Amino acid sequence: MNPSVDIGNVTLTYRGGSADVLALEGTSLRVARGEFAAVVGPSGCGKSSLMKLVTGLIAADAGEVVIFGHKVHGPVKIAGMAFQNPNLLPWRRVIDNVLLPLEIVEPHRHRFRREKAQYRKQAVALLATVGLDGFGERYPWELSGGMQQRASLCRALIHQPALLMLDEPFAALDAFTREELWGVLQRLWLDRKPTMILVTHDLREAVYLADTIYVMTARPGRIMSKTSVELSRPRTLKDTFKSEFIEPVQALRIQISEVMGAE
């Protein structure tokens, strides 16, 4: 099966300021269609840079990025993104924030006004799947941080992207809310099966959510190892006490400690 994401021997340098910064060097990564992959590593290793390369927000100096068989030369329309901050527009109601990509991304943009009623029904149904039934007419400032992040996930999924990129989407939340949203995200993935790539510093989060976990070296970043998670799905918080969960978390922690030069 052809991969949905194929990063081939990519090098990336950030230029400007007092000195150039070599962020990625000889980095390769392949993610299968419908796979849930996670990328972990020390701070500053280039995890978020990988996200930007895949979505076409920046271009590599060398190597190539191929998404669903097509080389990336600019912003990728088939990708959805969710970040650490929900970035909801405060002057728009929650449902209008969720609908925003449909006003921008073709082919939805062309028919948005004509089919707005149907799109709103889809948004209402999607909000209900993440526990936000009845909150569509609220404003973002009326929602808790966890609720805002749920709305952000809905916005990323509303145009049914084949690829969803997640850049530490739960990092700013408390532990209880974060673990609750692991379950929400897992259900969304099981229902829709897009290809998902999660960047995270939370090794428990990576093992709970992902099929495959890639570990990056310190800057300049490259992929140093690949770990398959053997836990069956759907996963629950009870699974976090099993050896199949604890052992890969510990192994990943040791790998990253060695990369950082820790004892």
Side-chain angles (χ1 to χ4, degrees):
M1 181 183 294
N2 292 329
S4 55
V5 176
D6 192 353
I7 301 172
N9 201 32
V10 159
T11 296
L12 174 67
T13 303
Y14 289 106
R15 307 186 188 281
S18 58
D20 294 345
V21 176
L22 181 60
L24 300 169
E25 185 175 32
T27 305
S28 297
L29 174 71
R30 291 166 65 95
V31 180
R33 289 176 183 262
E35 183 179 7
F36 199 135
V39 180
V40 300
S43 294
C45 69
K47 299 186 295 298
S48 294
S49 294
L50 275 181
M51 303 278 284
K52 294 173 183 177
L53 285 172
V54 170
T55 52
L57 298 179
I58 55 176
D61 301 325
E64 66 178 19
V65 179
V66 178
I67 305 298
F68 295 100
H70 301 282
K71 289 185 179 181
V72 174
H73 297 294
V76 177
K77 295 180 181 179
I78 62 171
M81 295 193 71
F83 303 93
Q84 179 174 338
N85 296 316
N87 295 320
L88 302 177
L89 301 179
W91 60 88
R92 294 179 68 124
R93 297 182 189 274
V94 169
I95 193 166
D96 294 318
N97 270 283
V98 172
L99 290 168
L100 184 60
L102 301 179
E103 300 176 40
I104 299 171
V105 177
E106 295 291 4
H108 306 286
R109 177 183 177 183
H110 222 66
R111 56 188 187 224
F112 182 77
R113 289 190 178 183
R114 184 175 68 251
E115 301 181 16
K116 187 173 182 179
Q118 180 59 36
Y119 283 138
R120 286 182 72 86
K121 287 182 181 179
Q122 294 176 16
V124 168
L126 186 54
L127 285 167
T129 65
V130 301
L132 289 180
D133 189 18
F135 286 90
E137 298 303 319
R138 302 274 187 169
Y139 288 95
W141 47 268
E142 297 181 276
L143 274 56
S144 69
M147 295 169 78
Q148 289 185 31
Q149 198 58 266
R150 291 169 193 250
S152 175
L153 288 174
C154 291
R155 181 181 58 192
L157 288 166
I158 189 63
H159 62 298
Q160 299 180 332
L163 173 64
L164 183 60
M165 309 294 290
L166 305 160
D167 193 354
E168 299 194 63
F170 309 136
L173 304 175
D174 65 86
F176 295 110
T177 303
R178 185 163 61 243
E179 291 178 351
E180 182 183 3
L181 288 179
W182 294 353
V184 170
L185 182 58
Q186 178 182 221
R187 288 195 300 274
L188 289 170
W189 178 75
L190 288 171
D191 288 344
R192 295 166 174 256
K193 280 298 180 74
T195 303
M196 286 198 183
I197 301 180
L198 168 70
V199 165
T200 181
H201 283 97
D202 189 333
L203 302 182
R204 294 176 70 251
E205 180 172 281
V207 173
Y208 187 97
L209 289 169
D211 300 313
T212 308
I213 301 170
Y214 297 89
V215 179
M216 293 187 68
T217 65
R219 189 175 65 238
R222 59 179 175 78
I223 303 298
M224 62 172 285
S225 72
K226 173 182 174 181
T227 299
S228 296
V229 180
E230 303 300 331
L231 282 168
S232 61
R233 294 187 187 271
R235 297 168 187 166
T236 69
L237 290 178
K238 290 182 180 179
D239 291 324
T240 64
F241 299 100
K242 295 180 178 179
S243 60
E244 300 97 317
F245 182 91
I246 295 171
E247 288 173 4
V249 170
Q250 291 176 333
L252 290 166
R253 182 166 288 116
I254 290 170
Q255 286 186 58
I256 293 174
S257 294
E258 291 175 346
V259 167
M260 298 174 66
E263 291 295 331

